[in-house]
Amino acid sequence: DIVVGFVVDLLIDVIYLGKDQILGKPSEKRISGKDFLKGTCFYESKVVGILDVEKLYEYDRLYVEEYVS
């Protein structure tokens, strides 16, 4: 097993969703990074992207900044 973390600039809120609240991925071609989305949902009248963390781990351009043992 490995421990992985992500650095984020800002975390506004954490929300819990049921499967019925998760919508499909956006179909627009001009949305960058949509390959890393699991889907979308509505939150406070805005559309929010849901990250597919497993795809982020598999991304070949992801780099290790620091090894911790």
Side-chain angles (χ1 to χ4, degrees):
D1 290 345
I2 60 171
V3 176
V4 177
F6 293 97
V7 176
V8 296
D9 292 330
L10 178 66
L11 177 65
I12 296 172
D13 206 347
V14 175
I15 58 175
Y16 298 93
L17 301 170
K19 287 184 180 183
D20 59 323
Q21 295 174 287
I22 299 173
L23 308 171
K25 293 195 279 186
S27 59
E28 294 184 39
K29 302 238 184 249
R30 61 187 172 103
I31 297 175
S32 66
K34 77 174 188 174
D35 293 336
F36 298 108
L37 290 180
K38 229 178 197 176
T40 57
C41 70
F42 287 103
Y43 177 68
E44 293 184 357
S45 71
K46 294 182 179 154
V47 177
V48 177
I50 302 167
L51 287 177
D52 187 337
V53 178
E54 289 181 12
K55 280 193 178 178
L56 284 173
Y57 292 148
E58 296 168 355
Y59 186 53
D60 62 352
R61 297 175 104 186
L62 192 67
Y63 68 94
V64 175
E65 186 172 299
E66 179 183 352
Y67 285 98
V68 180
S69 50

